[in-house]
Amino acid sequence: MENGDWGHRMTNPVTLNVGGHVYTTSLSTLQRYPDSMLGAMFRGDFPTTRDAQGNYFIDRDGTLFRYVLNFLRTSELTLPVDFTETDLLRKEADFYQIEPLIHCLNDTKPLYPLDIFEQVVELSSTRKLSKYSNPVAVIITQLTITTKVHALLEGICKNFTKWNKHMMDTRDFQVSFTFGPCDYHQEVSLRVHLMDYIMKQGFTIRNTRVHHMSERANENTVEHHWTFCRPARKVED
């Protein structure tokens, strides 16, 4: 791509494959810090590599990249309270040469007061698609909510009885719903209502990601994942 084309696409979506995790953002976000590696890469100064789907490919830790990308979007570092991979994230920040992020990671000031912790809800949608049908056919879709906030799981079981016939086992801090080929569109409706319900309980979306997998010769699996967080005060035993 010629350098002059980058300006034309500053606000167009850009899709990256970072270590197998697919992210979508804008060129302006990736160029937030012009002196960084990403700034130079998407300015056209460095050669780029594409995967088979045409995504820009970066051979780094795909899971940790969500924190890098969120920092590029907001210029703020937000990590879970129980985050234990600071050293690895520092190496990623050093690789991408994002100096403000490196500075934040070297600052040992706690994110929250000592009597505050963070509650987390994970919502995932896993959809298996047939490779050979046209249009693409959905084989099965599973929607899973994972959290240690028991009141939230109880509220979901109580308030979403419309989908009871799709509900699976609720062990291990999870509630799952499974939809077959004939009713997979209901998963979208349930997901929209669940996200609204979770956010009304005081949670906000921390990050989102998409992961494409190919498990069998005749089907593809696409997983969408959302992480919600809210601060909560510790209760003395």
Side-chain angles (χ1 to χ4, degrees), residues 12 35 71 78 97 104 116 134 152 163 173 189 202 212 236:
N12 284 6
D35 293 334
F71 184 85
T78 307
Q97 284 298 292
C104 287
I116 298 295
N134 189 16
L152 182 69
W163 287 277
F173 308 106
S189 176
H212 295 263
E236 296 293 337

Side-chain angles (χ1 to χ4, degrees), residues 65-76:
F65 186 73
R66 60 179 173 171
Y67 303 112
V68 176
L69 184 56
N70 282 336
F71 184 85
L72 293 177
R73 288 167 172 156
T74 66
S75 294
E76 295 180 356

Side-chain angles (χ1 to χ4, degrees), residues 78-81 109-118 206 229-232:
T78 307
L79 301 173
V81 172
K109 181 177 64 178
L111 295 174
Y112 297 103
L114 295 179
D115 62 340
I116 298 295
F117 71 103
E118 197 170 53
R206 168 67 54 77
C229 300
R230 75 177 181 189

Side-chain angles (χ1 to χ4, degrees), residues 77-94:
L77 177 62
T78 307
L79 301 173
V81 172
D82 58 352
F83 187 74
T84 60
E85 298 184 308
T86 303
D87 288 342
L88 292 176
L89 183 56
R90 190 178 289 113
K91 290 180 181 179
E92 296 304 299
D94 185 64

